[in-house]
Amino acid sequence: MGTDRCMVLLLLFIFFLVLTVCVRAQRTNTTTTEFTFRGFTGNQSLIQLSEAAMIKPDGLLRLNDRKPKVTGTAFYNKPVRLLETSGNSTTVASFSTSFVFVIIPTSTSNGGFGFTFTLSPTPDRPAADAAQFLGLLNRDNDGKLTNHVFAVEFDTVQGFEDVSDRSGNHIGLNFNSLKSNYQEPVVYYDSDESDRKEDFLLQSGDPIHALLDYDGPTQTLNFTVYPARLKSKPLRPLISQRVPNLLQIVQEEMYVGFTAATGRDESSAHYVMGWSFSSGVDRPLAQPLNLSDLPTPPPNIAKNTGYDPQVLALIVALSGVTLILLGLLFFFLMYKKRLQRGEILEDWEINHPHRLRYKDLYAATDGFNANRIIGTGGFGTVYRGSFSSSSVDQIAVKKITPNSMQGVREFVAEIESLGRLRHKNLVNLQGWCKHKNDLLLIYDYIPNGSLDSLLYTRPRQSGAVLSWNPRFQIAKGVASGLLYLHEEWEKIVIHRDVKPSNVLIDDNMNPRLGDFGLARLYERETLSRTTVIVGTIGYMAPELTRNGKSSTASDVFAFGVLLLEIVSGRRPTDSGTFFLADWVMELRETGDILPAVDPRLGSGYDSSEAKLALSVGLLCCHQRPASRPSMRMVIRYLNGEEDIPEIEDHWGYSEHSSRRSKFEGYVSSDKASSSSVASFSVTRVSSSSVIMSGR
Ligand SMILES: *[C@@H]1O[C@H](CO)[C@@H](O)[C@H](O)[C@H]1NC(C)=O
Ligand SMILES: *[C@@H]1O[C@H](CO)[C@@H](O)[C@H](O)[C@H]1NC(C)=O
Ligand SMILES: *[C@@H]1O[C@H](CO)[C@@H](O)[C@H](O)[C@H]1NC(C)=O
Ligand SMILES: *[C@@H]1O[C@H](CO)[C@@H](O)[C@H](O)[C@H]1NC(C)=O
Ligand SMILES: *[C@@H]1O[C@H](CO)[C@@H](O)[C@H](O)[C@H]1NC(C)=O
């Protein structure tokens, strides 16, 4: 009996043992899947690649490059069985995975769209879209229960449609949809016990470690992500979440892998350096990945510039060019600035002791202030200025804009010598300065104004008629100044524009001739071989209209007119009917020249001196240049040292053509301009000076 009971017990035990094993075998219908890729070299056949995905020769799995709007997927090519049936209940088996990835964005601020770790019923994702669909789904199937996909999304672009992706740099748990059920910004918990979080960028370009553990019995999914440079993995996962709905996703056979995509404007290259996976055992744990065993991470070409080498080279080249242009601009501006101050000189300007600095003139005239203007006309505007505060050092600055630099060059050459002219009847030229297109001439400041104003303006204003003695002294002084220019200096200087407004009167009623030689600036041979002559109507010698050549004789003619004007107090011509020299000559022919004397003087004049002056004036106005006296002779006549020669030939006019000739001789340019338009053109450059051109 005892042995029988023993046998029965033994059989029962064996039966139960067999039963238990059978039940157990029935319960667990899962196969173990386990793999580790430390780099993908030699394991290409195990990975199913689609679209842009490829395994690089160095072993890196590149899901996609940075072209816009591309997708790429890579799945382990064998299905993974994750369904676990126990009696009439089914659960998702535990699994674990670990991978190291790198995201290289276009630029540190502009990358996208992201990638996923995916459980998918297929080993590729046909018809999946790029950009926010991450190569996982498309607009049509997004959110459908029939998708059977679960994905951990590594998104680097903010906001997908409903802006449910709160932050650009985030992790999401997605079930059949790109709308994340759970979502966390990318941080890791420091390994110490505290809750201290450290955030970091997915698209930093550095290797990043991701760990995903799913515990089947508790339906808990733990997810951890951290920079691979950390020595140990964080103790606390970023996401620890119950995910019962995983059961609705997982089918009999699932594939594990990655999907990735770029956007139109946002693009990053997504790389996987190593990947381990484990499922089907009680507490599966994916093989740890040691960074030193993995292939070298892709070069982070986005880190500093965000551009690839060609673009980089282009940028460097462009910046170089820009820099050079900026440099040139800078030097140009400096040059201009210095030019404005007159400190950069053309060759011909150097070594001229009388050249003054524009800066100084600018300061001396208060920046050419309008209230410093003491006269306009002649050839430009005249400003009063002073180099120091004392009124002794006052200067007059004449600002001229000549119409050719050639003229200036010649004039300056002359000025350099003119600057050395020293005579009590000349306005002292202190210097000159060329600034841009202007020529600035610096003269002594002469306080009493011009002979013109003494003869006409002042008597009109205050009745102060210039009396005889100063008139005669002024005439002699002007003659003396002209003589100096013509004969007494080392070179012959032709004044070219003798007239009352160019005779300045100083404190001692001493006349000073100004503007000598200035007309030269406007005299030139033009391209059409037209000689341009310059002068003032009424003072221009008749021969000027024929050959255009200024000479000492043409200066003498102008002086003659000036002399008649000083005595008579009348302008050389009015609007057309009156001509001073004609009138005086006619009076002389009647035998009494004295009525020509300024009536405002009354009897307050020396009649012999007046007679002398009028005769000398007429003599100087002779039609033929050769018959005019020299200035030396003029002075001798005026001083009574020589008798005036009798003039028998009517000053060069033939009797029968007297009228026509007369007008030609004395009216000079004024009449010529209107009567013989064909050969002359006259341009007024100011109220008193004209430029006249004739062939
Ligand atoms: C697991 O179940 C599937 C069908 O549900 C069957 O085809 C397969 O043979 C089973 N495997 C084992 C090891 O029982
Ligand atoms: C990958 O390839 C290497 C070298 O050929 C091999 O040692 C390793 O076992 C392979 N890994 C897998 C998961 O097959
Ligand atoms: C199997 O299913 C039945 C009803 O469908 C249920 O009552 C029973 O508890 C289930 N057994 C197990 C082991 O879950
Ligand atoms: C998930 O994380 C929690 C909290 O750290 C831990 O208690 C649990 O054991 C983890 N589960 C797995 C499967 O790793
Ligand atoms: C990684 O590899 C290095 C050298 O091969 C070794 O010293 C280190 O302990 C390894 N780390 C881990 C976590 O296995």
Side-chain angles (χ1 to χ4, degrees):
M1 271 310 275
T3 46
D4 283 348
R5 279 185 70 181
C6 273
M7 278 300 282
V8 170
L9 279 173
L10 189 69
L11 283 172
L12 272 173
F13 176 75
I14 293 167
F15 174 77
F16 273 106
L17 204 72
V18 170
L19 196 74
T20 315
V21 169
C22 287
V23 165
R24 208 180 154 80
Q26 210 188 0
R27 246 184 67 200
T28 58
N29 183 7
T30 51
T31 46
T32 302
T33 302
E34 211 170 350
F35 58 79
T36 303
F37 300 110
R38 296 187 167 90
F40 295 83
T41 316
N43 305 123
Q44 285 95 331
S45 59
L46 297 175
I47 304 292
Q48 181 160 339
L49 303 166
S50 303
E51 302 297 327
M54 68 176 290
I55 290 169
K56 308 261 283 177
D58 58 5
L60 290 172
L61 165 59
R62 193 184 71 186
L63 298 170
N64 64 277
D65 54 12
R66 291 186 298 185
K67 294 203 181 79
K69 287 255 184 194
V70 294
T71 64
T73 63
F75 284 88
Y76 184 62
N77 70 350
K78 293 194 190 85
V80 178
R81 298 182 184 281
L82 290 173
L83 279 186
E84 205 166 52
T85 329
S86 137
N88 56 5
S89 82
T90 304
T91 56
V92 176
S94 304
F95 66 93
S96 166
T97 192
S98 163
F99 51 91
V100 176
F101 65 90
V102 177
I103 300 178
I104 310 282
T106 305
S107 75
T108 39
S109 57
N110 188 17
F113 241 86
F115 80 104
T116 69
F117 170 79
T118 295
L119 299 183
S120 159
T122 51
D124 55 5
R125 298 302 306 160
D129 278 341
Q132 70 267 29
F133 296 104
L134 299 177
L136 181 69
L137 294 168
N138 60 42
R139 196 171 295 279
D140 297 327
N141 63 17
D142 182 37
K144 297 236 168 79
L145 293 175
T146 52
N147 286 331
H148 290 286
V149 291
F150 163 73
V152 180
E153 71 166 45
F154 298 77
D155 200 346
T156 53
V157 176
Q158 181 172 4
F160 160 53
E161 286 186 340
D162 54 0
V163 293
S164 58
D165 290 350
R166 287 165 306 192
S167 142
N169 190 46
H170 70 263
I171 306 294
L173 301 184
N174 297 5
F175 299 86
N176 288 325
S177 168
L178 282 151
K179 200 168 156 187
S180 305
N181 287 33
Y182 309 101
Q183 184 172 278
E184 285 294 337
V186 176
V187 298
Y188 66 89
Y189 287 91
D190 236 346
S191 33
D192 59 16
E193 301 303 310
S194 71
D195 268 356
R196 197 148 62 91
K197 293 186 220 174
E198 299 285 345
D199 56 355
F200 63 100
L201 281 176
L202 290 178
Q203 55 178 11
S204 63
D206 296 327
I208 291 168
H209 213 136
L211 300 168
L212 192 152
D213 293 306
Y214 176 73
D215 183 50
T218 59
Q219 296 180 320
T220 305
L221 187 148
N222 282 7
F223 178 82
T224 310
V225 63
Y226 62 97
R229 65 182 152 77
L230 296 187
K231 280 190 206 81
S232 55
K233 77 164 209 160
L235 295 175
R236 213 178 126 180
L238 170 64
I239 297 170
S240 182
Q241 189 71 46
R242 275 200 75 230
V243 284
N245 41 355
L246 198 58
L247 191 58
Q248 275 90 66
I249 303 283
V250 175
Q251 291 187 308
E252 204 64 50
E253 292 191 335
M254 295 298 276
Y255 291 87
V256 292
F258 304 94
T259 76
T262 60
R264 198 191 45 186
D265 302 320
E266 311 90 343
S267 70
S268 303
H270 299 97
Y271 291 89
V272 179
M273 294 167 65
W275 177 28
S276 63
F277 182 90
S278 174
S279 72
V281 291
D282 249 355
R283 280 205 64 101
L285 198 65
Q287 284 290 308
L289 296 173
N290 191 334
L291 200 58
S292 61
D293 300 332
L294 303 182
T296 321
N300 185 5
I301 45 182
K303 202 156 197 168
N304 298 320
T305 65
Y307 294 101
D308 63 38
Q310 281 162 358
V311 178
L312 196 70
L314 195 69
I315 288 172
V316 168
L318 284 178
S319 336
V321 169
T322 311
L323 215 65
I324 290 169
L325 287 179
L326 281 176
L328 286 177
L329 188 72
F330 177 77
F331 281 113
F332 175 72
L333 288 178
M334 290 297 288
Y335 176 82
K336 256 190 90 174
K337 206 169 172 183
R338 292 186 63 189
L339 201 63
Q340 276 171 9
R341 294 203 216 112
E343 286 168 12
I344 288 185
L345 305 175
E346 293 174 28
D347 282 346
W348 60 269
E349 291 182 71
I350 300 168
N351 289 329
H352 285 317
H354 291 100
R355 191 181 54 77
L356 300 178
R357 290 196 303 176
Y358 181 73
K359 202 173 68 177
D360 298 338
L361 297 179
Y362 191 86
T365 55
D366 241 352
F368 293 95
N369 199 317
N371 62 28
R372 293 294 194 100
I373 294 177
I374 50 175
T376 52
F379 296 102
T381 308
V382 186
Y383 298 84
R384 184 176 50 80
S386 55
F387 286 133
S388 63
S389 51
S390 85
S391 59
V392 183
D393 294 329
Q394 294 211 92
I395 53 166
V397 180
K398 188 157 199 162
K399 193 175 187 177
I400 321 166
T401 307
N403 43 18
S404 87
M405 264 308 136
Q406 177 63 29
V408 171
R409 221 167 289 190
E410 285 167 6
F411 179 73
V412 162
E414 194 168 295
I415 280 182
E416 272 309 312
S417 44
L418 296 186
R420 285 181 285 123
L421 289 173
R422 285 288 181 275
H423 191 271
K424 67 179 172 60
N425 294 118
L426 295 181
V427 178
N428 182 28
L429 177 65
Q430 295 190 2
W432 60 279
C433 167
K434 187 172 79 69
H435 174 246
K436 291 182 183 172
N437 290 325
D438 293 336
L439 179 66
L440 302 161
L441 297 175
I442 300 89
Y443 295 100
D444 286 350
Y445 175 69
I446 309 293
N448 262 355
S450 69
L451 174 61
D452 190 74
S453 73
L454 284 187
L455 278 179
Y456 307 110
T457 317
R458 278 199 205 165
R460 244 199 335 273
Q461 283 170 352
S462 60
V465 175
L466 188 60
S467 56
W468 177 254
N469 274 339
R471 286 193 201 214
F472 200 57
Q473 289 314 310
I474 285 169
K476 283 182 176 176
V478 172
S480 168
L482 266 179
L483 171 64
Y484 179 78
L485 290 176
H486 287 178
E487 296 179 34
E488 294 181 344
W489 198 57
E490 57 200 45
K491 277 198 271 187
I492 295 173
V493 178
I494 299 165
H495 189 290
R496 295 156 208 260
D497 203 13
V498 177
K499 60 182 174 182
S501 59
N502 277 342
V503 176
L504 301 180
I505 310 295
D506 69 15
D507 285 334
N508 306 321
M509 290 306 274
N510 184 40
R512 283 162 167 261
L513 258 176
D515 278 1
F516 33 88
L518 204 51
R520 190 191 177 95
L521 272 181
Y522 295 89
E523 277 188 18
R524 67 189 194 283
E525 288 279 326
T526 62
L527 285 178
S528 56
R529 291 178 195 280
T530 302
T531 305
V532 176
I533 54 166
V534 179
T536 302
I537 292 170
Y539 303 89
M540 289 167 87
E543 73 273 11
L544 280 179
T545 61
R546 296 193 203 114
N547 62 16
K549 293 252 163 29
S550 296
S551 61
T552 51
S554 57
D555 271 358
V556 171
F557 182 94
F559 174 78
V561 178
L562 179 79
L563 193 52
L564 296 180
E565 196 174 348
I566 289 173
V567 178
S568 66
R570 299 185 72 161
R571 296 205 183 270
T573 178
D574 60 17
S575 51
T577 54
F578 175 80
F579 306 112
L580 181 59
D582 283 5
W583 177 65
V584 176
M585 191 170 69
E586 276 160 15
L587 284 174
R588 183 184 182 278
E589 281 174 346
T590 63
D592 188 8
I593 202 171
L594 284 179
V597 176
D598 192 344
R600 291 174 298 181
L601 288 171
S603 57
Y605 64 93
D606 182 316
S607 58
S608 62
E609 281 178 357
K611 229 178 222 171
L612 180 69
L614 289 169
S615 301
V616 172
L618 282 178
L619 189 60
C620 291
C621 289
H622 198 285
Q623 173 87 351
R624 279 201 308 273
S627 300
R628 292 172 208 151
S630 68
M631 287 314 296
R632 186 172 298 281
M633 288 312 294
V634 167
I635 287 169
R636 290 179 73 86
Y637 298 144
L638 288 177
N639 286 340
E641 296 164 6
E642 198 96 29
D643 286 336
I644 306 174
E646 259 328 291
I647 304 163
E648 302 298 345
D649 64 350
H650 294 83
W651 287 267
Y653 307 135
S654 59
E655 290 292 343
H656 58 273
S657 66
S658 154
R659 277 219 66 79
R660 207 180 146 258
S661 307
K662 270 181 200 165
F663 116 76
E664 197 179 336
Y666 297 114
V667 183
S668 67
S669 53
D670 198 24
K671 195 66 183 176
S673 65
S674 54
S675 66
S676 41
V677 177
S679 52
F680 298 106
S681 66
V682 176
T683 317
R684 231 165 236 280
V685 288
S686 70
S687 58
S688 50
S689 295
V690 293
I691 296 175
M692 185 167 172
S693 64
R695 248 167 252 274

